Amino acid sequence: MTRSQEDSGAPRELIERARQGEERAFGELYEAYVDRVYRYVLFRVRRESTAHDLTQDVFINVLRGLPRLQDLERFEGWLMRIAHNMVVNHWRRSKARPQTISGSGSSDDEHDDPLARLADASSEIDPWERADRSMKLQSIGRASEQLTDLQVEVLGLRFGSGLSLAETAGIVGRSEDAVKKLQRRALRALQRAFDGQASS
Amino acid sequence: MKREERRFDAALHACLEAIRGGASSEEALEPFADLRDELRPLLWAADEVRTLPTMPEGLRHQMRKELEALARELDGGPSAGAPPTGSSGLDSGGAGPWTLILATGLALGTAAAGYGFLQYGPGGPIGGLLPQVSETATTTPMRPAPAENGTGDDALQRGTASPSDIGGVAPAEATAAADARADREDADRNGDELIQTSPDDAAAPDRAPIGSPSPAAQAARSPAGTSGVPARDASASPTPWRAADSGTDRRAATPLRAPTDAPPERPPATTGLPTTAPGRRGATPSTDPATPTPEWIVESGFTGLSGTARDEQGNPLADAVVLAYRMDGVGPWLIDSDADGAWRLDLPPGDYQLRVRWESPSGGSARNPIAVRDGWYRGASQRRNAQVLSVAEGSALARIVLEASP
């Protein structure tokens, strides 16, 4: 799926059908947005097993809250606000900041849980893809450690979930100009971090 | 903010929006020639976030099923039984005290099939346990269910995905003339009898004739193929097919149909290759003249899949890795293609999705020097769109053209 297709989002009619309780429509809605939610959450929590859990929690909350969503045009922003809140709640509960990003096979604290390891180890991902994912996650995880939380938030919303500048500004509570500035600084920091990895 | 900074931010934003709309980085940079070198690395950095991995397919699919089940359980859907939300009316994830238990339910040998299953509340019915939502409430995130017995509980068992549910199936498409040509070239190269499979072939008398195997060839058939094993057992991995080393007579192929004017057969819309249905050998021609052409033939003599790996221009890919993923999660099986791009996988009977992956140490970009091509059968870029092929005991689907794209 190209970005433009992805950004087109779900048609209003689909959202309406899901709101009316059509289970298949909700499934389609999930398919339309799960990648964006997952990428955003993964970029923020930097751990795949946690990202899986939080992504499901996000959609459960969408299922519960959808009947009261008045303006369907606001669906994407509303969805990502839920995702944002889920991440914040996760940090509050765990009183932890994100650690180095990790994919399958990591040996960090959370993966000391044998069931978490089992879940990851039993993924259908083949060895090549698993290696690709692991390398990518490690690389971007180390790079994002050079960013502030707000910068990570902005990059996650803008590029992980594909939100517009205005939608992002609404979620982080800043003006669009401020978000522009933030994204520029964040991208520069990320680029410097990648350059540092390449030269090290 | 300095004027230059403002201009740079505006240019960056314009580029990012162009990319968001589907433009490439270079296309987005075109209007900003003087800032191109400064902007380009930032666009690359944004792309790193944009291309973060997505959720693994098995988990993604299982999660959808569970969410749909939850919607169904809520007395007719999300509008029923849902609690009032925060004062804004747009509750945004101040989650309630859900107890979501993910029973991973995975025996290591059945990998992808056994992802999570949800239980809502401590054993009660789903619909009656919906909590009130408040901004201050916390969420108990879904976690793998305790599995004191080492294998999980009932939920674990019920959480096992049906193999047929994993991975969508691309609809059968109309005749791919290019692939038909590739098949013909392949056959020419190997001196094989060609099985006519396309309307083009049917209309072109100068093309390779279709014929049933000779009695001698029939007699030469032998079940030389051995069942493959997953690639993790390297010692028993299938060997790549080569014209000289095959233990089977490829000329002994079982034709899909007699060389008549009958229309080509078509695979069923799902996986369904009628030629590989249990107890069947050979195909029943379709009576629908509009049916598309299969891109494979059935051969006897080994159990598995074989074909060629090519790039999008039709050039053979040597040393490409061909992977077969069985739909119950076992595997993948893998093999390298030979210098002509040919490959053969001996496989146990079952339903498979095929992938080809090729890496070259040169030919990539300055940033990513390794050129990678990847693709799923047939023509899919992702597993969920890959067609499923059925392998039956004693016969193989052959001449499958796997195409990998950058």
Side-chain angles (χ1 to χ4, degrees), chain B residues 95-117:
Chain B
W98 291 72
T99 302
L100 306 176
I101 303 171
L102 172 65
T104 56
L106 294 169
L108 285 175
T110 55
Y115 267 106
F117 189 86

Side-chain angles (χ1 to χ4, degrees), chain A residues 1-4 6-7 17-28 30-32 34-36 38-40 42-43 48-57 59-71 74 76 78 81-83 85-86 89-90 92-93 101 110 113 115-116 118-129 132-133 136-137 139-140 155-156 158-160 162-165 167 177 180-181 183-185 187-191 194-195, chain B residues 1 5-6 8-10 12-13 16-17 19-22 38 41-61 63-64 66-72 74 76-80 82-85 89-98 100 102 104-108 110-113 115 118 120 130-133 135 137-147 321 323 325 329 332 334 355 357 359 367 376 381-384:
Chain A
M1 179 183 289
T2 67
R3 193 69 196 168
S4 56
E6 204 173 271
D7 279 344
R17 280 168 45 216
R19 187 164 69 166
Q20 295 300 320
E22 194 179 316
E23 70 183 66
R24 191 175 183 82
F26 189 78
E28 290 173 18
Y30 161 84
E31 289 287 353
V34 63
D35 285 350
R36 289 193 242 180
Y38 183 77
R39 284 196 185 109
Y40 164 76
L42 180 59
F43 190 57
E48 284 206 275
S49 56
T50 307
H52 298 160
D53 294 346
L54 292 181
T55 299
Q56 181 149 7
D57 288 354
F59 281 97
I60 288 170
N61 277 277
V62 169
L63 184 62
R64 296 158 59 205
L66 198 53
R68 277 161 305 286
L69 178 61
Q70 300 296 317
D71 183 359
R74 295 175 60 190
E76 289 186 26
W78 174 73
R81 185 179 289 277
I82 291 175
N85 287 349
M86 297 304 297
N89 283 343
H90 165 72
R92 281 183 188 150
R93 280 194 313 275
I101 205 162
E110 188 156 324
D113 177 349
L115 283 172
L118 179 63
D120 280 348
S122 54
S123 161
E124 85 281 16
I125 301 172
D126 70 77
W128 276 269
E129 192 171 344
D132 284 350
R133 289 174 76 96
K136 171 111 183 165
L137 292 173
S139 170
I140 202 162
L155 293 188
R158 287 283 286 135
F159 310 119
L163 287 192
S164 70
L165 206 61
E167 289 167 329
D177 275 347
K180 271 188 194 174
K181 194 173 174 181
Q183 79 178 2
R184 186 231 315 152
R185 288 181 173 169
L187 288 173
R188 279 204 169 128
L190 201 60
Q191 177 229 334
F194 283 133
D195 288 348
Chain B
M1 186 186 289
E5 267 188 358
R6 280 184 182 278
F8 185 84
D9 283 347
L12 176 61
H13 178 63
L16 291 170
E17 287 302 302
I19 291 171
R20 192 165 173 254
E38 201 176 350
L42 303 193
L43 300 186
W44 284 346
D47 203 44
E48 292 293 328
V49 183
R50 197 179 281 119
T51 56
L52 272 168
T54 55
M55 189 179 293
E57 287 300 317
L59 181 56
R60 173 197 185 105
H61 182 80
M63 198 176 282
R64 174 176 176 168
E66 289 162 351
L67 287 165
E68 287 180 343
L70 177 58
R72 186 167 55 245
L74 293 179
S79 59
T85 58
L90 282 174
D91 173 56
S92 299
W98 291 72
L100 306 176
L102 172 65
T104 56
L106 294 169
L108 285 175
T110 55
Y115 267 106
L118 294 175
Y120 297 91
L130 289 169
Q132 295 292 314
V133 178
E135 290 296 332
T138 58
T139 296
T140 302
M142 180 178 64
R143 288 286 179 270
V321 181
L323 303 103
Y325 297 76
L334 55 89
R355 180 187 190 187
R357 186 175 171 84
E359 292 185 3
R367 192 151 173 259
W376 292 81
S381 60
Q382 296 183 18
R383 184 175 182 180
R384 64 173 176 274

